[in-house]
Amino acid sequence: MKILMRSVDMICCTNTDGVITPIKFRISDENKEYKIIRIDRILSRKEEKLAGNRMLVFTVQSVINGSECRFEMKYEFTTCKWFLYKM
Amino acid sequence: MERTILHVDVNSAFLSWEAVYRLQQGSQVDLRTIPSVVGGDEKSRHGIVLARSIPAKRFGIQTGEVLWSARSKCPNLVVLSPSYPLYVQCSDAMVSLLQEYSPVVERYSVDECFVDLTGYCGGRSGIDIARELKEKFRSRLGYTVNVGVSVNKLLAKMASELEKPDKLHTLYPHEIPKKLWPLPVRELYLSGPRTIARLYRLNIFTIGQLAHAPVQLLQEHFKSHGPAIWKYANGIDDSPVVPGERVMKGVGNSTTMPYDVDNEKEALLYLLSLTETVAMRLRAKSMTARVVTVSLRDADLSFYSHQRRLAAPTNSTEVLFSEVKRLFLEAWKREPLRHMGVHLSGLAGSEFFQTSLFDAITPPGRKALDESIDQIRSVHGTQALVRGSFLHSGIPPLCGGVHEAFPNMRSLL
């Protein structure tokens, strides 16, 4: 997997216990066109606190252009931003 | 009961924190593995190395060195500007990790903490806990630390500085002759360049020689500081670990001018601008100061200062500036100046004022004026109300950085 760290628009769900689950996001490609990617499975979730900065790291799986892909998403608590971290 | 004290010191703090943060944000390069430094802004002549990576150290780059000299040693050097809010965040994370082990955590500086584990070891040894702690710093926060384990703060601090980076050292009293005494005396805590020069004249070159020197001799040469350094050399220290921040003993602001200042008018404007900042900070803390110090650094980087104790404590910008001005005119040797600073100490609360028969404006009047100015500046920004003398002068009406979130940060710079 390659590190991308691109910020994305995300639709996620926060349940009554405060657990955050990403559902689908959109990201612009080279032609500035948005591509919507639905997250099919969450394989793992962990919290990291590197340099005191809290982030949630999700390893997820989706079907992109007909093939199954695995990638990592990050959520930064201080900025409320979502990132496509590694693909 | 024997105490268990840890001293935790982050290795190349500013640089490690920058490196880890950038890795988390997707950077492909670990700054710790390439020659890199954190340094100030060269354009405004604040260009000194604040922290360096291990590869930069191999090029002979020193902390405190000017950036152009560091660049001449290593042309490919990566220079990063400091980001203080990040360092405060990292420092807070460090304290909260340490608080998982003991509530008695003292933040000694932005990257150093003392932890008193006495009664909180849960049947384990201090070394065991220190080892686990070191591993947690690496895995959870992403950077390495040096940990010193001993029975008091002094020995713990000396231990953590024995060998770097990423090391765990013990310095228990029985290890003092082997580990502490062979070290050069300049390594001892609280022995600055002046003390060292005088110790050399007494033929004291190692900590061991100092530890065996007669206390009376040291008392004669160093007054009360003599027995204190003798105690340190013998590993004697019973100061407690005080949780929380250190008590503020003084406020100061200083600035390096973008060019060398050689005329009185401009120098006084810079001092006025510094006094404005420092007096505002003093009032924000509801304090008054009694001792005013003006420090100057000339173009050759030689440093001198001049201070005076006021008849009565004050926090009025006007009174403080008149003293600053007097001190400056007495001390200045008319050479071009590179750096100036104003420092206030002898702090006390501001509930009471000493009145004087000879004041032009009464203290309550001055207080009301200063309060109004502070209020306007806090609501509308520091530039909302400035003195006319700064108009068209090119000199900022309030200068000197303020990192209120963590005042101890300044001691590092």
Side-chain angles (χ1 to χ4, degrees):
Chain A
M1 281 200 275
K2 204 176 138 197
I3 296 174
L4 300 171
M5 201 64 183
R6 292 207 25 213
S7 55
V8 297
D9 296 331
M10 171 70 82
I11 290 177
C12 65
C13 161
T14 308
N15 73 6
T16 48
D17 296 329
V19 177
I20 298 174
T21 308
I23 296 169
K24 64 177 179 179
F25 64 95
R26 62 175 192 173
I27 187 166
S28 56
D29 60 14
E30 313 83 72
N31 309 322
K32 303 254 162 116
E33 279 174 23
Y34 279 117
K35 194 172 174 65
I36 293 175
I37 298 167
R38 170 173 285 279
I39 290 165
D40 300 326
R41 253 179 94 192
I42 292 173
L43 303 170
S44 75
R45 67 172 84 216
K46 65 170 189 201
E47 188 182 322
E48 68 175 27
K49 243 188 193 171
L50 296 175
N53 190 26
R54 280 177 72 206
M55 273 191 166
L56 288 176
V57 186
F58 298 88
T59 309
V60 298
Q61 195 171 288
S62 297
V63 175
I64 302 171
N65 297 334
S67 62
E68 206 160 67
C69 288
R70 236 179 218 213
F71 51 93
E72 283 185 16
M73 312 263 348
K74 275 191 173 187
Y75 175 72
E76 190 171 43
F77 283 96
T78 48
T79 56
C80 300
K81 273 184 172 177
W82 279 93
F83 300 93
L84 174 58
Y85 177 50
K86 272 187 194 170
M87 194 169 222
Chain B
M1 182 181 161
E2 200 167 68
R3 297 191 294 163
T4 306
I5 310 285
L6 303 190
H7 177 257
V8 182
D9 183 5
V10 182
N11 302 131
S12 344
F14 288 3
L15 193 105
S16 294
W17 291 339
E18 285 284 351
V20 176
Y21 180 71
R22 283 165 194 241
L23 284 175
Q24 191 196 32
Q25 297 291 324
S27 165
Q28 312 270 1
V29 188
D30 187 343
L31 292 166
R32 291 168 290 188
T33 60
I34 56 165
S36 59
V37 296
V38 175
D41 176 21
E42 279 171 289
K43 278 187 199 133
S44 55
R45 304 206 306 175
H46 292 81
I48 60 159
V49 174
L50 300 172
R52 63 195 169 157
S53 66
I54 306 272
K57 191 179 168 185
R58 284 196 205 111
F59 280 91
I61 294 167
Q62 303 290 329
T63 306
E65 187 174 346
V66 283
L67 281 177
W68 60 262
S69 141
R71 275 215 184 83
S72 68
K73 287 178 184 168
C74 173
N76 299 326
L77 189 70
V78 176
V79 181
L80 313 154
S81 312
S83 41
Y84 298 107
L86 171 69
Y87 307 152
V88 172
Q89 176 183 298
C90 291
S91 183
D92 289 346
M94 171 181 179
V95 173
S96 60
L97 172 57
L98 294 173
Q99 280 169 341
E100 289 176 19
Y101 289 85
S102 163
V104 193
V105 175
E106 176 179 339
R107 188 170 352 205
Y108 185 66
S109 77
V110 71
D111 65 337
E112 283 177 67
C113 285
F114 286 106
V115 189
D116 190 345
L117 286 176
T118 317
Y120 294 101
C121 290
R124 297 160 70 196
S125 73
I127 304 168
D128 258 4
I129 295 178
R131 201 171 286 136
E132 183 184 304
L133 200 69
K134 224 164 73 60
E135 199 37 53
K136 272 202 183 164
F137 267 100
R138 183 203 301 277
S139 59
R140 197 188 293 179
L141 301 180
Y143 52 82
T144 61
V145 291
N146 253 42
V147 187
V149 189
S150 191
V151 294
N152 62 39
K153 280 165 78 176
L154 171 88
L155 288 175
K157 181 162 168 65
M158 293 300 296
S160 79
E161 280 168 12
L162 286 176
E163 193 196 346
K164 289 178 175 181
D166 197 16
K167 292 278 188 322
L168 163 63
H169 295 284
T170 59
L171 186 55
Y172 286 110
H174 68 271
E175 295 173 303
I176 292 177
K178 211 175 104 202
K179 288 188 178 174
L180 185 67
W181 286 353
L183 296 178
V185 74
R186 63 168 185 275
E187 302 280 327
L188 187 67
Y189 178 62
L190 279 192
S191 46
R194 286 192 189 166
T195 310
I196 298 302
R198 284 158 75 189
L199 284 171
Y200 285 174
R201 260 181 265 141
L202 295 173
N203 268 340
I204 294 172
F205 297 98
T206 66
I207 297 179
Q209 285 170 337
L210 177 62
H212 291 106
V215 191
Q216 293 83 350
L217 176 82
L218 298 168
Q219 168 95 45
E220 265 171 41
H221 282 84
F222 299 94
K223 302 285 181 294
S224 63
H225 191 46
I229 52 174
W230 180 84
K231 274 188 177 175
Y232 288 155
N234 282 291
I236 303 166
D237 169 38
D238 50 11
S239 58
V241 177
V242 185
E245 313 291 339
R246 279 195 292 173
V247 181
M248 193 166 81
K249 287 188 177 163
V251 250
N253 272 107
S254 65
T255 187
T256 301
M257 281 80 74
Y259 52 90
D260 290 338
V261 170
D262 55 3
N263 65 73
E264 191 182 309
K265 193 181 163 208
E266 277 184 343
L268 286 177
L269 275 178
Y270 269 108
L271 285 171
L272 175 60
S273 152
L274 286 167
T275 312
E276 285 264 17
T277 314
V278 80
M280 221 166 84
R281 288 176 59 201
L282 188 69
R283 290 192 294 268
K285 300 264 176 212
S286 306
M287 294 229 169
T288 57
R290 192 155 192 182
V291 181
V292 183
T293 310
V294 172
S295 56
L296 306 170
R297 195 184 292 275
D298 63 23
D300 304 325
L301 298 180
S302 68
F303 173 89
Y304 56 99
S305 66
H306 191 33
Q307 70 171 45
R308 186 172 290 122
R309 201 178 166 81
L310 301 172
T314 180
N315 60 13
S316 144
T317 308
E318 198 194 315
V319 178
L320 288 169
F321 180 64
S322 67
E323 195 53 43
V324 165
K325 190 173 162 183
R326 219 170 99 196
L327 287 167
F328 171 72
L329 294 175
E330 284 170 12
W332 188 34
K333 299 172 199 146
R334 304 269 151 192
E335 79 284 34
L337 294 168
R338 181 189 168 89
H339 183 100
M340 288 195 279
V342 174
H343 190 265
L344 307 174
S345 48
L347 302 188
S350 63
E351 306 92 59
F352 306 105
F353 274 95
Q354 175 65 51
T355 51
S356 155
L357 290 172
F358 310 107
D359 281 340
I361 314 174
T362 56
R366 254 194 316 251
K367 193 180 166 198
L369 177 65
D370 281 331
E371 266 174 13
S372 316
I373 293 174
D374 290 349
Q375 259 178 15
I376 292 172
R377 283 180 179 161
S378 72
V379 175
H380 302 286
T382 50
Q383 306 294 320
L385 190 64
V386 300
R387 284 173 192 264
S389 47
F390 288 105
L391 278 180
H392 312 299
S393 66
I395 295 169
L398 275 101
C399 63
V402 189
H403 302 290
E404 283 300 352
F406 199 77
N408 287 355
M409 182 99 77
R410 286 207 56 79
S411 64
L412 253 160
L413 303 181

